[in-house]
Amino acid sequence: GDVVASGVAETSVLDGFFITAGQANGGTAPLNQGGGLYDYDAHPSLANLTFSANLATTQGGGLYNYLGTLALTNLTFRANHANSDGGGLYTQSGNLTLEDGWFDGNDAGGSGGGLWNSGGLLTLHEVIFEGNWTGGGFTGGGGLATAGSNASLTNVIFRGNQGGYTGGGVYSSGGDPLFTNVLFSGNTAEYGAGIYVAGGNPQFNGVTLSGNR
């Protein structure tokens, strides 16, 4: 990929850059993860960044995070691709907070066209998922796929995403995710156009579903 963060602390800041056309296309991990940025057990602060047209042949077309604690502010993920999961962003077993984000036109061959989250903690506030899609596997999630996580989403919009088989806007499996003031509009999937729940105990507070099919 374009950028690697490993073992860095919270004092490390990346602010005000375009990260574009990164290629994580090596034969083995981690060389095939995180086309734009690869983060392993690091704790940087990322602000005012645009990830566009990056590619990973496995996970995390735009950004890949494993075990890291990431504070993200005003980030855009546009037209990134992962052959497997997390077209825009892939996070696993970490603690990721995104304030003011936009996932636009990202895609994944597997799950989480915009964002894939597995375990750990995920907090999204004022985030838009628009026009993201997955390749149609059972574990879909055109906008977001989350598994085994107590994710928290507040003031989030899922609009015009495509989940292929399941979860046009969101695919949720396990954990106790919380959806507060979330809009699902115009998303499509074979099952669960707005949201598909496969286990777990999600909670919904002030959620609107409109025109999903």
Side-chain angles (χ1 to χ4, degrees):
D2 281 348
V3 183
V4 174
S6 178
V8 300
E10 292 86 347
T11 52
S12 299
V13 177
L14 189 64
D15 189 336
F17 289 90
F18 287 86
I19 300 174
T20 187
Q23 301 283 314
N25 55 5
T28 59
L31 299 178
N32 53 18
Q33 299 166 319
L37 189 150
Y38 176 88
D39 182 272
Y40 179 84
D41 195 19
H43 314 290
S45 297
L46 309 178
N48 307 312
L49 304 178
T50 296
F51 293 85
S52 65
N54 299 287
L55 164 71
T57 53
T58 55
Q59 300 103 357
L63 189 158
Y64 175 94
N65 173 54
Y66 181 68
L67 294 176
T69 298
L70 296 182
L72 313 178
T73 305
N74 190 25
L75 262 59
T76 297
F77 296 87
R78 180 177 294 120
N80 301 285
H81 169 79
N83 286 0
S84 181
D85 305 316
L89 191 160
Y90 178 100
T91 181
Q92 180 179 351
S93 303
N95 186 341
L96 188 145
T97 300
L98 173 57
E99 174 83 24
D100 188 13
W102 186 22
F103 293 83
D104 174 30
N106 305 282
D107 72 278
S111 307
L115 192 159
W116 164 257
N117 168 56
S118 176
L121 297 174
L122 175 69
T123 303
L124 304 178
H125 182 250
E126 301 286 353
V127 177
I128 297 173
F129 293 84
E130 186 169 24
N132 306 283
W133 60 279
T134 63
F138 178 77
T139 307
L144 165 69
T146 180
S149 171
N150 295 342
S152 176
L153 286 70
T154 307
N155 298 345
V156 176
I157 295 172
F158 294 92
R159 182 169 52 217
N161 303 285
Q162 180 179 341
Y165 193 67
T166 55
V170 172
Y171 176 95
S172 176
S173 174
D176 300 319
L178 174 62
F179 298 82
T180 304
N181 297 334
V182 177
L183 170 66
F184 296 90
S185 175
N187 303 286
T188 61
E190 187 167 351
Y191 295 97
I195 179 169
Y196 183 96
V197 178
N201 185 33
Q203 301 177 54
F204 302 97
N205 179 24
V207 170
T208 300
L209 297 103
S210 173
N212 302 286
R213 58 185 177 84

